[in-house]
Every structure is written in C-alpha cells, then in structure tokens.
Amino acid sequence: MPEHHHRPPSALRLFLTNQSTGGLVLIGTAAVALLIANSALGPAYEALLSTYLGPMSVIHWINDGLMALFFLLVGLEIKREMVDGQLSTWSRRILPGVAALGGMAVPALLYLAFNSGPTARGWAIPAATDIAFALGVISLLGTRVPASLRVFLAALAIIDDLGAVIIIALFYTAKLSMIDLAGAAGVVALLFALNRRGVRRLAPYLLLGALLWLLVYRSGIHATLAGVLLALAIPMDGRPGQSDDESVSPLHRLEHALHIPVGFLIVPLFALANAGVPFLDLSLDALTAPVTLGVAAGLLLGKPLGVFGLSMLAVRLGLADAPAHASPWQMFGVALVCGIGFTMSLFIGLLAFPAAPILISEAKIGILAGSLLSGLLGYAVLRLAHSERMEQARQGA
C-alpha cells in the first residue's frame, strides 16, 4: 500500500475548532477580570500588574512580551492563507477583503464623529474584530450558521488582523532609534537569507526572533510587530496541491505548536490583565464620554454597516459571490458579530492613550459595551434567520 500524506488542517479549519473554544474561555476570563477589578481584590490586582520583573512590569511583560507570540501566530496564519489557503487567489480575497475594508473604515469614521483633538488618536480602536470571541459566539449556534459563513468570518478576521498590524506600525509608533531600527532590519535580512538558503530548523529562526524582539522594542516600534516580521520569514511549502507534512514544513510545525498556548493561555492572560475596569471608581460621565460613545458606536453600528454594506455592494456589482447557502439576514448577523472587538481593540487602546488612564478606562467601557451588544444582537439575528429559513423550507415542502 502506498503511503499517503495528508495536508494538516488549514489555519481556517483550526480557527473553526480550537479558536471557537478559546473564544468561550476568553469570554469567561474577561468576566473574571471585571469581577476582580470591582471587588476587594482590586487594589492587589493593580499592584500585581504594576510589579516590576527586571526591566519591565508584569503588565508590560504580558502586553509587550507574551503578546509578541500572539502576533507571531497572526503572522503565520496570514502567510499561510495568502500562500496556499482560503486567501491564495484574488477571487477568494475579494469578498472578505472588501468586508474587512468596510469594517475598518466605517467604525473609524463613526469614532471620529464623536471625537476630535487629542481623543481622535483612538480612531483605530473599534476597527478590529476579535476572531476568538466572534467564533465563540458562532459556535454557540452550532449548525444554524452555514459553514461558508464561518469561513467568510475567519478570512475576514485574518485580513482585519493584517490591517490592524499595519495601522499599529504606521500610526502608533513612538520616537524611533535609528541604530536599533537598523539592527532590526539587519536581523530581518538575515532571517530571509536563512529562508532563501533552505534552512528548515526552527531554532535559528526563533533565536534570531528573540534578538529581533529586543531591537524592535528598543527602536520605538511596538515590540509585538517583531512577531509578524518573524512569521513572514518562516519557511512554508506552498506549491498548489503539494502534500504538506507537519514534521517537514517549519511554518506548520510552529503554527500548530502555538495555537493551544496562545489561544488558551496568552490571550486569556492578556484579557485578565487588561479587561478589568473598576467601574466603582469612575464617574457617570465616563459612560457618556466621547471616547466611550465613539468606540461603542464604532463596534455596534460601524462594523455591521461597513461589513454588510460593502459585502452586499460587491455581490450586487458581480465582483464576488455571496457565501453559499447563506441568506442576507445571516450575512447581517455575522456582520453584527464582527462588532466584537476585544483583544486587538484593547491593545490599540493601550497604544492610543499610553499616558491617560481615564481615556483607557473609557475606551475599555466602550469596547466591552459595544462587543457585548454586538455579540448578543448577532446571536439573536443569526438564530432568528435560521428559524426563518427552516420555516420557509417547511412551507416549500
């Protein structure tokens, strides 16, 4: 019998399994963070996060250090799907790409409608979709959501993540150290030289990746972007139809190794460290502050308007096909779920207002409120849309 090699599951299929469960864990972790921050443990919680371990505090080790692994995984998923996955051809990229563009632009414009001056710096906070949270909500609906819509949502979120990475690099970078930046460029060049020479062992890439993180951190660019740069240099077998084996392709091995620790440890730890908002210490004005309203409106209104509006326009113009077996109401339900902007939104909020704790708290309130309402409304619309389709099917029979 000939030996058969099977391609390991794609990043999108891993999203639809592991990340759905990870999203439910993330929801629970965020709730725990809120409870701790508003209990007698709140001061101890803040003191622990502020404790220094070497050159950085605990919260900075989480946000600048561990989250680099989250961005490494994001970069691996982007590269894999662009090379040999659901985003490998322009025809596959058009619908999720257009949807992601609308889902970033419209929320940003809505935010700016509420904010000007210094607070306008937070325009990108509602521009990102949290794939783990979104798929966690979708997983609660089971087979009520067509598989094509799950793939559409995951592909959209991957492009959305790429947009968020570009936004962070372009708009949320502090003063640059040209010496460290030159050193980082040299390390990136060396990483790609290893790729071109066919080096397949992961160890050299990871060691250089650690050096790259240090140089990027010192350069003024946010250190987590080192994870994306490292991901782009990791070798991958990407010829169409080629049988990939996990033990052969470095990208596959690293991606599979990272999925569980990132989804079930690093991202929940980030939520635990950043989602806690001490509501009892805030005035009622914080609930109606421009930042709070701008973020909440961007997620709750801007995301579905941008995602659904531009998707339907692309379908009507014949630029792309609608997801198979999905009604417009189901598309709208998924667009609402895209308004769940948790991990990346929190991350951008921290970068937007690094020296303004009150503005960060207002942004967190807007993120939590907008995400919660988006998830509940999206769930309700998808459930009702499925019931309506089933009723129509029974009447047709």
Side-chain angles (χ1 to χ4, degrees):
M1 292 289 289
E3 183 179 355
H4 294 283
H5 297 279
H6 299 283
R7 187 189 301 274
S10 73
L12 289 176
R13 284 196 290 271
L14 285 169
F15 267 150
L16 303 184
T17 52
N18 293 344
Q19 295 258 7
S20 295
T21 306
L24 298 178
V25 172
L26 190 56
I27 293 171
T29 308
V32 169
L34 285 170
L35 289 174
I36 292 175
N38 291 280
S39 71
L41 296 174
Y45 166 81
E46 292 293 338
L48 175 62
L49 294 176
S50 302
T51 301
Y52 270 75
L53 296 177
M56 296 193 297
S57 64
V58 170
I59 194 166
H60 280 112
W61 277 116
I62 294 171
N63 294 348
D64 294 358
L66 290 180
M67 284 299 284
L69 296 177
F70 166 78
F71 277 83
L72 173 57
L73 181 59
V74 166
L76 293 171
E77 289 164 345
I78 290 170
K79 178 174 180 175
R80 179 167 183 164
E81 294 305 321
M82 296 289 282
V83 172
D84 191 23
Q86 292 296 325
L87 301 174
S88 60
T89 64
W90 283 109
S91 61
R92 291 179 175 181
R93 296 170 191 163
I94 290 175
L95 188 62
V98 166
L101 178 62
M104 288 186 282
V106 178
L109 292 174
L110 264 179
Y111 178 89
L112 291 174
F114 287 90
N115 291 271
S116 60
T119 60
R121 182 171 167 77
W123 63 270
I125 296 173
T129 294
D130 191 293
I131 183 59
F133 247 131
L135 283 175
V137 171
I138 294 292
S139 71
L140 298 176
L141 292 157
T143 57
R144 295 184 181 91
V145 179
S148 61
L149 277 182
R150 295 170 182 256
V151 172
F152 166 75
L153 174 60
L156 184 160
I158 288 173
I159 298 174
D160 196 75
D161 281 343
L162 176 59
V165 168
I166 293 172
I167 287 170
I168 291 170
L170 294 179
F171 298 100
Y172 296 105
T173 294
K175 295 180 180 179
L176 295 178
S177 164
M178 300 310 296
I179 295 177
D180 290 306
L181 196 60
V187 173
V188 170
L190 186 54
L191 284 166
F192 279 96
L194 291 178
N195 185 311
R196 291 292 298 272
R197 290 183 65 86
V199 175
R200 312 277 295 175
R201 293 177 58 237
L202 278 171
Y205 293 96
L206 297 180
L207 288 173
L208 286 173
L211 176 59
L212 178 62
W213 178 89
L214 177 62
L215 290 169
V216 171
Y217 174 76
R218 288 161 51 100
S219 75
I221 298 175
H222 202 273
T224 51
L225 297 182
V228 178
L229 295 173
L230 173 60
L232 298 179
I234 301 295
M236 172 187 170
D237 301 324
R239 293 189 294 275
Q242 183 185 29
S243 178
D244 290 332
D245 189 290
E246 288 185 53
S247 65
V248 173
S249 176
L251 185 141
H252 296 145
R253 299 202 310 271
L254 185 55
E255 184 185 11
H256 283 257
L258 286 174
H259 260 288
I260 298 300
V262 168
F264 292 90
L265 177 61
I266 292 174
V267 173
L269 189 58
F270 173 82
L272 188 63
N274 292 281
V277 182
F279 291 110
L280 300 178
D281 295 338
L282 296 174
S283 67
L284 291 177
D285 292 340
L287 299 177
T288 56
V291 171
T292 304
L293 296 177
V295 171
L299 292 172
L300 181 60
L301 302 177
K303 271 292 184 180
L305 285 175
V307 170
F308 182 73
L310 265 70
S311 294
M312 289 296 98
L313 181 61
V315 171
R316 290 288 178 87
L317 293 177
L319 299 175
D321 294 329
H325 312 298
S327 70
W329 272 111
Q330 288 175 314
M331 281 284 289
F332 182 66
V334 166
L336 278 167
V337 171
C338 288
I340 302 174
F342 188 75
T343 306
M344 200 69 83
S345 292
L346 285 174
F347 195 84
I348 294 175
L350 297 172
L351 297 180
F353 308 120
I358 293 178
L359 294 182
I360 290 176
S361 294
E362 291 171 358
K364 288 180 179 181
I365 294 171
I367 292 167
L368 293 171
S371 297
L372 177 62
L373 291 173
S374 295
L376 292 174
L377 287 174
Y379 178 89
V381 168
L382 286 168
R383 193 177 181 91
L384 290 172
H386 174 75
S387 299
E388 183 180 309
R389 283 180 70 90
M390 295 301 294
E391 183 62 29
Q392 290 174 349
R394 283 194 294 268
Q395 290 178 357

